[in-house]
Amino acid sequence: DVGCAFDADLKHSGVVLLQHQTQIPHFENSVQRQIGNLVGLAGIQYSSTVNSTASHALPADCIGSSTPADEKRPIKEVLAEHVTPSDEQDFRKRGQSGVDWLRGWDMTCSQPYREGSGKPVTWYGDWGEVSTDNLDCAFYSQDLIYCYTFGWLRNQHLDTSLITNHTAWVELAGKECDDMQNKFQFADEEVTIARMKYENEESGNIGKGAACAQNPHCAEPITSRALAAHVYPKCLMSLEHGAASEMAYCQQLGCVLPGQQSPKIGTGSQCEPL
């Protein structure tokens, strides 16, 4: 089997991150439903054993190809062997489609999705403390603190007005990724699909750490560096395009609510629409 090398931002497709065939079974059985997924595992192989409708997740005009061996190679090396994509994207729409898709999937959110139905939680970690009123979906547990630690939620440091300007948003993504690398100094061997797959899907370390961080007495909460290590490979997929899509996802996922005594993340109608 082979897959798209640039699967962080496939041309003319709602797919941003494909699922790998060796993931846990419920993902393997649901590859055909990955349209619009902006935050799942960035696998680069496509399973020919899955229902034929999954072909929608691997469009004919995807850029480049990759093999299972590429999973353990630095992403920079894999991408250097292929052509750089250059088509423009509607990042505001791409970000919202990712959020909507995850809210509508029974693997990531109880159905039907109901805003305001979740419990309040607080995350404790090297970022301090930050809370949300309603953890309405399971994926909020990881993704809200993930986006918050990067400063990519609305009302944090990104210039939201740039999201409708493709060139400016991609340039901003490049700067964000450069700043992240300067801060955390990821080695090339840390930036592989295999590592992403292990941390996010095979071990579940990221989700477990994010859930543990909701307990002030957690012995090993997720760290800002561990979260950044998951997003930084997306900086390299499709070059800056991958990070631009992820930034758009975070912008549409939630916001930091103004006028609070301590940092609080809002979601849904708590945030002004983009």
Side-chain angles (χ1 to χ4, degrees):
D1 294 339
V2 296
C4 286
F6 293 97
D7 59 7
D9 201 327
L10 298 179
K11 295 176 65 179
H12 316 305
S13 171
V15 175
V16 175
L17 302 173
L18 301 180
Q19 302 297 330
H20 189 276
Q21 65 173 346
T22 59
Q23 286 183 55
I24 50 180
H26 71 256
F27 277 106
E28 181 173 347
N29 294 334
S30 303
V31 174
Q32 66 270 29
R33 298 201 283 172
Q34 296 306 301
I35 302 303
N37 182 8
L38 287 145
V39 295
L41 170 69
I44 56 176
Q45 182 158 340
Y46 167 74
S47 173
S48 60
T49 63
V50 181
N51 186 304
S52 61
T53 59
S55 61
H56 293 298
L58 195 64
D61 61 354
C62 69
I63 305 165
S65 63
S66 54
T67 66
D70 290 333
E71 283 194 359
K72 297 181 180 180
R73 297 173 58 205
I75 292 172
K76 288 181 180 179
E77 290 183 7
V78 178
L79 296 191
E81 298 169 359
H82 302 281
V83 178
T84 302
S86 60
D87 61 314
E88 292 199 1
Q89 305 289 335
D90 183 338
F91 288 115
R92 181 169 56 180
K93 183 182 294 185
R94 182 181 286 276
Q96 188 61 57
S97 71
V99 174
D100 290 345
W101 185 87
L102 289 169
R103 285 175 177 162
W105 189 27
D106 58 8
M107 290 294 180
T108 50
C109 193
S110 296
Q111 297 302 303
Y113 162 70
R114 294 191 303 275
E115 183 179 343
S117 62
K119 65 179 181 180
V121 301
T122 299
W123 292 267
Y124 306 86
D126 57 21
W127 52 83
E129 298 180 15
V130 61
S131 63
T132 190
D133 289 334
N134 302 104
L135 201 71
D136 293 335
C137 293
F139 77 94
Y140 282 13
S141 176
Q142 174 175 319
D143 287 2
L144 289 177
I145 193 62
Y146 169 86
C147 292
Y148 178 81
T149 58
F150 309 146
W152 290 356
L153 296 171
R154 271 172 281 167
N155 300 332
Q156 289 191 278
H157 72 256
L158 294 183
D159 183 350
T160 298
S161 69
L162 299 179
I163 197 170
T164 55
N165 182 324
H166 173 89
T167 300
W169 194 251
V170 168
E171 288 177 353
L172 179 60
K175 181 180 183 302
E176 289 291 306
C177 291
D178 288 346
D179 290 347
M180 191 175 294
Q181 173 63 359
N182 288 337
K183 180 177 181 180
F184 294 113
Q185 296 294 304
F186 297 116
D188 283 351
E189 55 268 25
E190 291 183 88
V191 189
T192 66
I193 296 300
R195 183 181 176 91
M196 289 184 72
K197 182 165 64 126
Y198 177 78
E199 292 295 335
N200 195 51
E201 299 293 345
E202 293 178 356
S203 70
N205 285 339
I206 297 176
K208 291 173 185 176
C212 187
Q214 295 165 31
N215 180 344
H217 305 295
C218 172
E220 296 185 16
I222 194 74
T223 65
S224 295
R225 190 184 193 281
L227 291 166
H230 184 64
V231 78
Y232 187 68
K234 302 174 190 180
C235 288
L236 304 182
M237 295 177 185
S238 297
L239 302 181
E240 293 88 354
H241 284 208
S245 293
E246 199 76 347
M247 284 176 10
Y249 167 78
C250 289
Q251 288 277 290
Q252 295 287 23
L253 179 62
C255 63
V256 171
L257 296 172
Q260 304 293 314
Q261 291 185 341
S262 57
K264 180 175 286 189
I265 298 171
T267 57
S269 62
Q270 289 182 298
C271 303
E272 292 291 330
L274 284 178

